Amino acid sequence: MMKNNYTVFLLYLCGGLILSIGAIQIYNLSRFRMFLSDQEMVQALFHFRSTQMLTVFLALLGVSALAARERINMELKRKVYTDVTGLKNKHACMEEMSILDCNDNTLDIGFIMFDLNNLKKVNDFYGHDKGDELILNFALMLRQVLDKKHFIGRFGGDEFIVILRNCSAEGMEDYLRQLEQRVKKYNEGREIVLSFASGYAISTKDHYFLMEDLLKEADKNMYKMKKRMKQGEPQSPQLSKILDADRLDPLNRDPLTGLLNQDAFFCAVKKILYSGRNSLHLAVVCSDIANFRYINDTYGYQTGNQILRRFADELSVQPFCLCAYRLFSDNFAFLADTAELSRDEATELINSWNSYFASTVNREYKASRFVINSGIYFIHNLSETIDDMLNYANIARKYTKGSLQNILVYKEEMDQFEKKKSEILTSFRHALENHEFKVYLQSKVRCADKNVCSCEALTRWEKQDGTLYYPDEFIPVLEQTGDIIDMDFYVYETVFAYLEAQERENRTILPIALNISRIHLTNPADFVRRVRALLNQYPVSPCCITFELTESTYMQDIPSARAFIEDLHRMGFQVSMDDFGSGYSSLKVLKDMPFDEVKFDKDFLLNEADENAQRILLQMISMVKSLNKTIVCEGVETEENVRLLERSGCDIMQGYYYHKPAPLEEWDACLKARRALLPPHR
Ligand code: C2E
Ligand code: CA
Ligand code: CA
């Protein structure tokens, strides 16, 4: 623009010069005409004409040199700013936006964003040539529909942008309608069809002073349309062959999320697996939203459903997600495209999307518990059924529950654990009736005089075939099924009966601690009712019983946990906070909860060699002590542990150094034998 003005200015200047030189010469000739002979006059005229011609020639030469330079500049600029589609490239788009940003008036500037649907799938299944063909044709249609004066650019691979000045919403709609019609015509009779999503935004007075904001708004609107298209609202034709299932009857969709249902998903996966592409670059992923119940309970079902829909919408537009379905409630499965990625990279990609999604929801709902857990099964054997593949991914997903990681890749060992788990589930009832669950006791030793002052009841499952299961093998399974409630009450009854017999025989009573699974807190009233019934049946002094609650038992709902502890107190029991320091419990929670005792987790002593860990333990003990709670430290294994705890102010110690858990029947004998005769049990 500037350059054009400059050229016009030069042209005027040259014209002006020629005219003024001519005028001066004419003036001189007329002034001196009477003094000149005819011959001199002819010579003067000749001189005058040649000077004029030379000036005109030089001026023309200069102007054409400038014009040529201008043309070369324009051509270079065109090349730098133009994309293979003939549209402006991203660089040009950004420049256009910064030019518009400098305008005083940004009123009525409109942006339209376009995104081609399923381009990645077309590239993957039909090759990049077909994908390129769609892009070129779409670019052409944009040019045909829109006036030349408008800016049309290709913003990214399958993203296009149109910038209009002095536009209106009606005008925008009209352009889009025309474009739709052209695309429809283009698609007629084609196997690979073109489909796009679009969104626009128009700057209203003083509203958008930055073009970037306008672009974001248009992009957001485009994304909304994409979501609507996914949900099956009236839409442009979809990629026909691969996504047949997508176009099936609405009955084949999940009504809540609009994702495929199981049959449609299996059908889509089968097609992709046998489409001839490299199936070794595919993975089946199962994901679930941890603590989803908390979201439902806290924010209500409507919000819960909204989050599920959003998860489905956002997941299904991720480039790695080829097709997805909701198994049930907050459990989703999808087929992931892992082409050009190593297993680690693919895992990381899915994990970072999970974290991104979870953090967005946490931010919006001011929550912190929202986490996505995923299990991945990398397909390496096409003879596996889709059911098996899903099952493997699901096993890996479930494994994340007991792990610190939110995403795990399926391994064969996990399957073995699952088998063991189903074995536990099928044999549990029979085992309970057959008294296969055994109560073991482990002593608690008073720091001051090293006398055994109480003990803790710990369960073992001794199967009839002689196999021994430790609690960490079966308790998580029983918690999943809810059977833990009956198992715990079996242990409580055994202990109550034992204590009652001790009292009846007038023997010295050692208080016993009982563990409470977090599952009891789902129905605390029932727990209290059943314990009361036990007290009626076995009238023991309740002060001889301490209930131990771990953090996972009470952190989810502190007010009802508090009420629960108060109920236990009213019945005369002691209550202990178990495994303190293993999770997130803070001193504040500790201060507000009416625990009688705090049990420091055994991990504190594991790091005992570390001086900093020692310092922390000592400080923590002194802080908790200031809250007037009895302090117990578990995991005492060595002489050094004992020395450290003696210095710390700890009241009671528990650990292998003194006693390993021993069967109830051997307990008395064991106590007598003390350390020298430790039983060979864990
Ligand atoms: P917990 O309540 O923290 O119990 C202490 C665990 O630490 C026990 O493992 C015990 O054997 C172990 N332990 C004791 N001293 C030492 C030591 O010096 N070093 C080491 N490394 N470990 C030590 P156990 O018996 O395998 O129980 C594991 C967990 O299972 C228990 O942790 C408790 O949370 C749960 N549990 C055990 N029995 C029951 C039960 O009857 N009901 C419920 N709900 N949970 C139970
Ligand atoms: Ca315990
Ligand atoms: Ca513990």
Side-chain angles (χ1 to χ4, degrees):
M1 204 70 177
M2 290 278 287
K3 288 264 162 70
N4 278 343
N5 290 342
Y6 184 56
T7 315
V8 171
F9 170 74
L10 273 178
L11 271 172
Y12 279 121
L13 192 72
C14 291
L17 265 174
I18 294 164
L19 284 176
S20 27
I21 292 171
I24 294 168
Q25 282 185 334
I26 289 169
Y27 171 73
N28 284 342
L29 277 177
S30 57
R31 244 183 88 194
F32 300 109
R33 186 183 185 140
M34 69 244 358
F35 306 108
L36 298 174
S37 66
D38 282 354
Q39 203 182 353
E40 281 168 333
M41 190 66 183
V42 170
Q43 271 177 359
L45 273 173
F46 175 74
H47 184 67
F48 166 65
R49 292 236 167 81
S50 16
T51 321
Q52 257 190 335
M53 279 169 71
L54 189 67
T55 319
V56 169
F57 175 72
L58 284 176
L60 283 175
L61 200 69
V63 168
S64 45
L66 274 173
R69 207 184 78 177
E70 190 84 341
R71 258 201 317 280
I72 293 169
N73 277 346
M74 299 262 280
E75 185 58 20
L76 273 175
K77 199 172 165 184
R78 198 182 65 74
K79 283 198 173 136
V80 172
Y81 284 119
T82 309
D83 181 73
V84 283
T85 56
L87 301 182
K88 296 283 189 299
N89 61 15
K90 187 162 183 176
H91 186 53
C93 298
M94 302 312 284
E95 188 142 314
E96 178 72 6
M97 280 167 62
S98 47
I99 291 171
L100 288 172
D101 269 331
C102 298
N103 275 8
D104 290 338
N105 182 6
T106 58
L107 182 64
D108 293 338
I109 292 178
F111 277 49
I112 319 180
M113 283 297 290
F114 296 95
D115 188 288
L116 297 190
N117 294 326
N118 304 314
L119 194 73
K120 182 169 182 339
K121 290 171 186 166
V122 172
N123 281 337
D124 286 353
F125 291 91
Y126 296 96
H128 282 263
D129 286 353
K130 289 284 173 209
D132 290 350
E133 196 180 304
L134 288 186
I135 292 177
L136 286 171
N137 277 302
F138 187 69
L140 185 70
M141 282 183 249
L142 278 178
R143 282 212 297 247
Q144 287 166 339
V145 168
L146 286 153
D147 205 305
K148 264 209 170 91
K149 67 178 188 223
H150 298 311
F151 181 97
I152 315 175
R154 184 165 164 220
F155 207 63
D158 55 355
E159 278 183 351
F160 297 83
I161 185 172
V162 166
I163 305 176
L164 305 103
R165 292 165 197 250
N166 300 323
C167 65
S168 64
E170 295 77 49
M172 292 276 203
E173 295 285 349
D174 194 45
Y175 285 133
L176 291 172
R177 247 190 316 275
Q178 288 180 41
L179 189 66
E180 283 272 355
Q181 273 163 11
R182 269 185 195 265
V183 170
K184 203 167 160 191
K185 209 153 175 207
Y186 169 86
N187 283 337
E188 275 168 16
R190 280 180 198 266
E191 189 191 357
I192 307 170
V193 294
L194 185 62
S195 146
F196 69 90
S198 63
Y200 64 81
I202 302 173
S203 109
T204 50
K205 208 176 193 169
D206 292 337
H207 188 58
Y208 296 106
F209 32 87
L210 275 183
M211 291 301 118
E212 205 188 320
D213 292 340
L214 201 56
L215 178 78
K216 274 190 198 148
E217 187 67 17
D219 199 49
K220 211 163 90 188
N221 290 336
M222 186 269 292
Y223 190 60
K224 277 189 198 154
M225 176 173 180
K226 233 183 163 57
K227 277 209 285 198
R228 284 200 303 275
M229 292 173 95
K230 288 267 168 190
Q231 282 166 2
E233 279 183 16
Q235 52 178 273
S236 313
Q238 290 281 323
L239 176 67
S240 59
K241 197 172 172 185
I242 309 149
L243 301 178
D244 255 352
D246 266 340
R247 299 191 307 163
L248 285 177
D249 194 294
L251 285 176
N252 282 339
R253 292 179 166 277
D254 168 30
L256 178 76
T257 60
L259 290 181
L260 303 180
N261 67 10
Q262 189 181 23
D263 287 346
F265 176 77
F266 273 52
C267 168
V269 172
K270 217 174 274 171
K271 273 186 188 164
I272 295 171
L273 285 181
Y274 301 109
S275 66
R277 58 173 283 152
N278 190 349
S279 301
L280 300 184
H281 288 149
L282 292 168
V284 175
V285 184
C286 280
S287 299
D288 83 309
I289 303 174
N291 298 316
F292 194 68
R293 243 198 75 196
Y294 164 82
I295 306 257
N296 271 339
D297 291 350
T298 318
Y299 302 100
Y301 277 88
Q302 293 285 27
T303 309
N305 284 348
Q306 250 173 34
I307 294 176
L308 290 178
R309 267 196 292 270
R310 185 161 157 193
F311 181 82
D313 289 344
E314 296 195 17
L315 170 70
S316 52
V317 295
Q318 292 312 304
F320 58 74
C321 175
L322 292 172
C323 52
Y325 100 99
R326 188 167 71 112
L327 285 91
F328 56 91
S329 80
D330 59 342
N331 281 247
F332 295 82
F334 62 93
L335 187 69
D337 181 357
T338 62
E340 290 163 31
L341 296 175
S342 68
R343 285 186 172 199
D344 284 351
E345 284 166 343
T347 310
E348 188 41 44
L349 178 72
I350 296 166
N351 194 26
S352 47
W353 182 75
N354 284 353
S355 316
Y356 164 76
F357 184 81
S359 63
T360 322
V361 174
N362 278 327
R363 206 172 33 250
E364 279 177 32
Y365 293 90
K366 297 195 174 48
S368 59
R369 293 156 168 262
F370 195 82
V371 172
I372 317 272
N373 291 321
S374 294
I376 307 186
Y377 172 68
F378 287 98
I379 298 175
H380 59 272
N381 177 1
L382 275 187
S383 64
E384 309 264 23
T385 63
I386 301 175
D387 250 334
D388 282 343
M389 296 174 185
L390 259 176
N391 189 31
Y392 296 145
N394 219 359
I395 289 174
R397 175 190 66 79
K398 287 186 205 155
Y399 248 80
T400 57
K401 308 273 183 221
S403 129
L404 290 176
Q405 281 155 288
N406 294 121
I407 191 159
L408 286 174
V409 177
Y410 169 79
K411 290 193 196 104
E412 262 177 39
E413 302 90 87
M414 293 180 177
D415 197 23
Q416 279 150 18
F417 175 83
E418 276 305 294
K419 287 192 179 118
K420 193 165 169 191
K421 195 168 134 181
S422 63
E423 189 191 314
I424 288 175
L425 288 181
T426 46
S427 53
F428 171 74
R429 286 282 145 201
H430 180 253
L432 200 63
E433 283 155 19
N434 260 7
H435 305 283
E436 288 179 16
F437 289 96
K438 301 283 183 234
V439 174
Y440 279 50
L441 295 176
Q442 185 182 27
S443 64
K444 290 183 179 177
V445 172
R446 203 181 293 120
C447 257
D449 55 14
K450 310 292 179 300
N451 279 328
V452 176
C453 56
S454 57
C455 58
E456 177 177 5
L458 298 157
T459 323
R460 305 286 179 263
W461 182 352
E462 291 174 7
K463 297 203 83 178
Q464 273 173 339
D465 63 8
T467 347
L468 181 75
Y469 285 150
Y470 285 96
D472 40 11
E473 291 172 277
F474 59 86
I475 285 184
V477 181
L478 300 183
E479 284 187 332
Q480 266 179 26
T481 58
D483 286 324
I484 187 73
I485 295 188
D486 288 341
M487 196 223 71
D488 269 353
F489 273 96
Y490 176 82
V491 174
Y492 302 164
E493 183 164 2
T494 313
V495 168
F496 274 60
Y498 168 78
L499 284 175
E500 198 235 6
Q502 298 278 92
E503 275 190 25
R504 224 183 318 113
E505 289 161 23
N506 271 335
R507 300 173 67 158
T508 328
I509 304 272
L510 265 187
I512 300 184
L514 297 169
N515 287 289
I516 300 186
S517 160
R518 65 193 165 87
I519 306 302
H520 294 291
L521 265 252
T522 55
N523 192 349
D526 193 53
F527 182 90
V528 170
R529 184 187 59 75
R530 287 182 74 170
V531 169
R532 205 168 266 136
L534 275 182
L535 265 183
N536 285 337
Q537 196 179 346
Y538 305 96
V540 295
S541 323
C543 61
C544 289
I545 292 172
T546 301
F547 281 106
E548 293 189 0
L549 274 104
T550 54
E551 172 184 89
S552 60
T553 326
Y554 56 82
M555 282 299 272
Q556 293 213 348
D557 185 353
I558 290 181
S560 52
R562 211 190 140 87
F564 178 61
I565 297 173
E566 282 162 1
D567 276 344
L568 295 175
H569 276 162
R570 269 192 287 277
M571 284 191 278
F573 299 111
Q574 300 278 301
V575 188
S576 169
M577 179 198 232
D578 202 357
D579 298 340
F580 177 68
S582 64
Y584 306 98
S585 41
S586 62
L587 284 170
K588 185 185 170 314
V589 174
L590 189 58
K591 178 177 75 62
D592 295 340
M593 299 290 266
F595 288 112
D596 305 289
E597 175 188 284
V598 174
K599 269 183 98 170
F600 277 68
D601 191 63
K602 49 185 170 293
D603 275 3
F604 277 109
L605 290 177
L606 276 183
N607 297 327
E608 195 237 4
D610 176 350
E611 274 191 20
N612 280 336
Q614 269 195 27
R615 241 174 262 138
I616 291 172
L617 177 66
L618 294 177
Q619 287 293 329
M620 299 260 288
I621 290 180
S622 90
M623 278 194 282
V624 175
K625 219 167 162 59
S626 68
L627 298 173
N628 260 340
K629 318 255 181 206
T630 306
I631 292 175
V632 182
C633 286
E634 60 182 12
V636 180
E637 291 184 356
T638 60
E639 183 91 37
E640 288 73 37
N641 290 162
V642 176
R643 300 277 159 273
L644 177 73
L645 293 177
E646 278 173 343
R647 280 197 285 137
S648 73
C650 164
D651 300 300
I652 294 167
M653 298 179 283
Q654 178 181 352
Y656 296 166
Y657 181 75
Y658 292 105
H659 286 110
K660 291 195 170 182
L664 187 68
E665 309 82 60
E666 296 169 26
W667 172 242
D668 292 338
C670 225
L671 270 184
K672 280 186 204 130
R674 298 289 307 257
R675 269 196 68 216
L677 285 172
L678 281 181
H681 306 289
R682 203 170 89 164

